[in-house]
Amino acid sequence: MVSIEDYGNFETAWCPSCGNFGILKAIKQALVNLGRSPHEVLVASGIGQSSKTPHYLNCNGFNGLHGRSLPPATGAKIANHELTVIAVTGDGDCYGEGGNHFLHTVRRNPDITMIVHDNQIYGLTKGQASPTSEIGMKTKVQTHGVFNMPLNPLSMAISLDCSFVARGYAGKVSHLTSLIEKAISHKGLSLVDVLQPCVSFNKLNTFKWYSERVYEMDDTGYELDDRVKAFERSMEWGEKIPLGVFYVNEKPSFEDYLDVLKSGPLYKNPPATEKVNELMDGFI
Amino acid sequence: MTIDLNIKVGGAAGQGLQTTGIALAKTLKKSGFHIFATQYYFSRVRGGHNTFKIRISDSPIAAMNENVDLLLALDSESIDRHLSELSDGVVVVDADVVKVNSSSESIFHVPMLEIAKEVCGDKIYSNSVSMGAVIGLLCLDMSNLEGILKASFKKKGEEIIQKNINAARAGYDYVKTNYPGGCKFSVNESGEKEKLMLISGNEAVGLGALAAGVQFLAAYPMTPSTGVMTYVAANADKFNVVVEQAEDEIAALNMVLGASYAGARSMTTTSGGGFALMTEALGLAGMTETPAVIFLCQRPGPATGLPTMTEQGDLQFVLTAAQGEFPRCILAPGTPEECFYLTAEAFNIADKYQIPVFVLSDQYLADSLFTCKRFDPSKITVERHLLSDSELRTKKEDYKRYKITPLGISPRALPGQEGVLVLSDSDEHDEFGHICEDAENRIKMNDKRMKKLELLRDEISVAKIYGDLDAAISLVGWGSTYGPLAEVVDILKAQGKSVNLVHFTHIHPLPVEATRKLFSKAKKTVCVENNSTGQFAHHLKLETDVKLTETILRYDGKPFSPEFIIAALKEKEVI
Ligand SMILES: Cc1ncc(C[n+]2csc(CCOP(=O)(O)OP(=O)(O)O)c2C)c(N)n1
Ligand code: SF4
């Protein structure tokens, strides 16, 4: 039996009462509920406050470069598809620096769960706008207030036909836990965009602000593979902000197309050096 | 060398020049000759002026020279540009199709189009007519060309095969009956039909990677490296390799590192511009001590440079690319054999030392075709240096991915192995892999990493000498200059000069004492490089304090020929 203690208890470098704590708790609880042992789990991340998560979880971790949580996560999943691979990233990390990887990882559809700590700000570099910052948000860089259109991660993911798209909130840990569980259980790329208050730099989207707006969607409202409905829902943002699973599209994952994985993890395949002789015949 | 003939095929891109050139090269190899073939092409899919050059000999050759004996001109530009390269040769041209501005006696008209239409009813067969004409001028037997045409058109069916053979035979017969003076080039087919391969540098790198058990390759296409990616992809199913075309080079190397971290033998292929994008991830390989093989095929820069030409201009970049200091290894093959064995060695070094290892090639080596003996895969060992499950079961302490050991190499376990957790971090970290910004830890970890470089330096192979051990003149080269330099040594030795070649394949780190010894006797040392600043000469001085007396540099996008080097040696009064 796996217990929450197995995932350890680490001192963090996060500000007290940051939204990151709720997300960390939900990830741990989801893994325990799914019965995953720490050695079966790999958490890959980029750089940012959120991306420090691998250090606060007692499991395998690859804490790479800013914006680059997805490529190593994909590589690792191909090398050993028996691992449960979670990519933990921030809104700047994933939608800014790593935007291209996001697009193409959705197209590739590896069986990876992406958890985006979406605090609508750059935390680690002390408060610049992120691709999801609201119009008007003033920072030391955006001195006249943000005027670039905020990106809508859910609409973007649905438009790309991402296999699983959900939104959680760091202030609703048990709801978030169940979303993460569903995302991990889903085969293919799952996006869980998590509204995460940054108590130090984001003075607009605070716990109070969110608590007044978020609501859990009734997930029986429409068929989850209805892309148009999902898209419509994803555009609801303002007085009311929906939480839950927006879109699910069961389709083959990247690994399904790789016949070589059928006989076991790639990294265990013995080299076929002797076959090189056959190839050399072709040059004679 | 009693036979030394050069055939040049010239034309615009899209005229089937490469197909003709490769088929001729294969045919001549089948006839028992040693072959060296290079392409000179521009970055366009159609048009432009391109050439495919084949040199044939009865002795091993590894370079092109600047003579032309037989020019197959598919356009008039070929005659205008290359007629002067012929001393006593023949230009084969279809004067009905190509405008001929010269009245040179060397020009021999073969009505290829007319023959193709007459024999096969279609002008597309004129390439095969031209091949037959060339073989006819050499007075070789037609059977080898027929065999090659059969193999090339296997997928297109019997009818097409037969039509091509008929076209080639008609070209052959036309030459035999119409060329005045009969057999101009009396080259006899070689008696001993050695089982030689005709292979390009890129194919040899691909074979080396497969022999070394590569399991994952992620790359983004970029000339001239793409050949390795496509070669591995073509054989991926047979060898259980996953090949993924990444969205960009940044993703490619990051994916490779993720796959390698999780245990797969992994590599990427790129050229200078693509590698520029990979440099941050190179630092990540350094910090996380993740093995990776990077095949970097050089072409002239800066920026997009001359995309289809050659240069050895990225050495200094590769030596120092990425943020901070960490060990890396650079290997530079000069022949297909070296491409094969060094690529395999690169994987073992990467795994043992847990560092990035470069296989540094260039367009000239990548795209040239060489005849060489079969490689011996049984000489290749696959050394993974991984902790086994049973070793882990009997471990006494908690697993530390970055354990500080006397040699600096930490025991490597993989994520997913029971009883261990593997944590890698791009930040400075403690022995467990957790972020640690402590000054004392930083020094310890940095020393641990850099120690591996010194260990590798002690183990790495020293440069090879071609020619006499003690010579008055040492020519110094690295990577792809091997062929032309070795030929220069042969030529000069035949003239009674005391000269050798010091050929470097293991570029970094350099074994200091052993390298110094190589130069202790030579009075004159000449570095020959395809770049404008003598990058290797600087590296050698910095690492070993060996100062070379002269440099011969070429940076016009073309490779060295023996003639070019000899002329430069004379000009510099070295000989
Ligand atoms: C290549 C590169 N550029 C910039 C940085 C600096 N940097 C570190 S984290 C970060 C932004 C982090 O924002 P986000 O992903 O939203 O994470 P948060 O800290 O808010 O959790 C930046 C710009 C870096 N580490 N690497
Ligand atoms: S800066 Fe913001 S996001 Fe980062 S830990 Fe502090 S509160 Fe959390």
Side-chain angles (χ1 to χ4, degrees), chain A residues 55 60 64 108 273 275 281, chain B residues 238 244 247 374 422 425-426:
Chain A
H55 297 284
N60 298 294
R108 219 169 254 130
T273 303
K275 287 193 190 146
D281 291 340
Chain B
K238 215 186 233 169
E244 177 61 359
E247 54 270 30
R374 281 180 84 98
V422 186
D425 197 319
S426 65

Side-chain angles (χ1 to χ4, degrees), chain A residues 43-232:
Chain A
V43 177
S45 73
I47 293 295
Q49 293 285 74
S50 40
S51 288
K52 288 178 180 162
T53 301
H55 297 284
Y56 310 145
L57 274 167
N58 197 42
C59 62
N60 298 294
F62 189 92
N63 185 182
L65 298 169
H66 186 40
R68 321 282 172 223
S69 65
L70 290 170
T74 306
K77 185 73 188 179
I78 295 169
N80 183 359
H81 65 288
E82 289 175 353
L83 293 170
T84 296
V85 180
I86 302 174
V88 172
T89 161
D91 45 336
D93 197 61
C94 183
Y95 308 133
E97 187 90 55
N100 199 30
H101 306 312
F102 174 71
L103 297 184
H104 294 280
T105 308
V106 172
R107 290 181 49 232
R108 219 169 254 130
N109 198 32
D111 185 13
I112 290 172
T113 302
M114 287 171 65
I115 301 174
V116 185
H117 297 224
D118 189 351
N119 55 9
Q120 295 151 278
I121 195 113
Y122 282 12
L124 191 59
T125 46
K126 300 199 166 70
Q128 303 80 22
S130 93
T132 52
S133 294
E134 300 219 3
I135 292 200
M137 178 191 270
K138 284 199 174 182
T139 78
K140 282 186 185 153
V141 175
Q142 288 72 28
T143 51
H144 299 290
V146 166
F147 45 79
N148 291 346
M149 271 298 290
L151 190 142
N152 180 333
L154 302 189
S155 303
M156 178 167 72
I158 295 164
S159 77
L160 293 168
D161 206 8
C162 182
S163 191
F164 178 103
V165 181
R167 178 192 282 140
Y169 169 47
K172 283 183 176 275
V173 176
S174 64
H175 179 250
L176 179 59
T177 304
S178 80
L179 286 181
I180 294 176
E181 265 178 66
K182 282 182 197 159
I184 293 174
S185 307
H186 175 83
K187 197 183 74 162
L189 187 75
S190 329
L191 167 66
V192 186
D193 186 74
V194 188
L195 303 173
Q196 174 237 323
C198 165
V199 296
S200 297
F201 299 112
N202 188 335
K203 305 295 179 196
L204 285 177
N205 314 101
T206 60
F207 274 106
K208 183 167 174 294
W209 189 88
Y210 280 124
S211 300
E212 285 165 0
R213 288 167 173 80
V214 294
Y215 74 98
E216 291 174 27
M217 285 190 294
D218 171 8
D219 57 10
T220 55
Y222 64 97
E223 292 297 325
L224 283 175
D225 61 357
D226 185 334
R227 204 157 155 207
V228 175
K229 281 260 165 52
F231 197 75
E232 226 170 72

Side-chain angles (χ1 to χ4, degrees), chain B residues 69-310:
Chain B
D69 299 292
L70 205 162
L71 174 67
L72 173 60
L74 303 180
D75 63 2
S76 58
E77 201 177 343
S78 297
I79 304 177
D80 301 344
R81 280 182 188 238
H82 306 299
L83 189 63
S84 62
E85 293 165 9
L86 270 78
S87 43
D88 178 31
V90 182
V91 181
V92 177
V93 65
D94 185 344
D96 303 336
V97 180
V98 175
K99 189 161 163 273
V100 181
N101 301 318
S102 159
S103 59
S104 163
E105 283 178 8
S106 322
I107 294 174
F108 175 50
H109 164 63
V110 180
M112 301 177 213
L113 188 86
E114 201 186 301
I115 296 177
K117 277 194 191 153
E118 198 179 293
V119 179
C120 309
D122 193 335
K123 63 177 183 182
I124 59 163
Y125 294 94
S126 48
N127 276 346
S128 292
V129 179
S130 73
M131 291 178 212
V134 170
I135 298 300
L137 271 172
L138 297 173
C139 291
L140 293 169
D141 199 74
M142 260 296 289
S143 60
N144 287 319
L145 176 56
E146 287 179 12
I148 295 298
L149 290 172
K150 257 184 215 154
S152 319
F153 293 104
K154 207 162 84 192
K155 286 200 185 114
K156 304 228 163 141
E158 268 314 309
E159 198 196 326
I160 305 275
I161 291 178
Q162 203 49 53
K163 280 189 170 173
N164 278 291
I165 290 178
N166 293 347
R169 213 176 276 150
Y172 184 85
D173 292 341
Y174 181 88
V175 168
K176 283 285 201 178
T177 38
N178 294 291
Y179 187 70
C183 257
K184 174 150 179 103
F185 311 103
S186 57
V187 288
N188 295 324
E189 294 200 15
S190 158
E192 42 148 349
K193 298 235 174 187
E194 282 183 88
K195 286 246 158 197
L196 291 179
M197 299 195 291
L198 182 68
I199 192 168
S200 71
N202 268 357
E203 288 163 334
V205 168
L207 267 182
L210 294 172
V214 64
Q215 292 165 319
F216 181 65
L217 185 152
Y220 190 82
M222 187 169 182
T223 305
S225 68
T226 319
V228 171
M229 182 190 192
T230 45
Y231 187 77
V232 174
N235 296 292
D237 293 346
K238 215 186 233 169
F239 285 79
N240 291 332
V241 188
V242 173
V243 175
E244 177 61 359
Q245 181 176 324
E247 54 270 30
D248 54 32
E249 288 83 353
I250 298 172
L253 187 52
N254 276 286
M255 262 187 212
V256 160
L257 296 181
S260 176
Y261 158 82
R265 269 207 150 176
S266 305
M267 80 183 292
T268 188
T269 61
T270 192
S271 183
F275 178 63
L277 291 178
M278 289 180 183
T279 53
E280 194 197 17
L282 182 71
L284 179 63
M287 183 51 113
T288 58
E289 303 186 47
T290 306
V293 172
I294 301 169
F295 171 69
L296 195 164
C297 200
Q298 300 165 97
R299 68 189 212 186
T304 312
L306 297 170
T308 57
M309 299 192 200
T310 204

Side-chain angles (χ1 to χ4, degrees), chain B residues 348-365:
Chain B
N348 285 344
I349 294 175
D351 268 337
K352 176 170 180 188
Y353 292 93
Q354 302 169 23
I355 56 171
V357 180
F358 292 87
V359 177
L360 193 57
S361 180
D362 55 41
Q363 184 270 331
Y364 171 62
L365 176 61

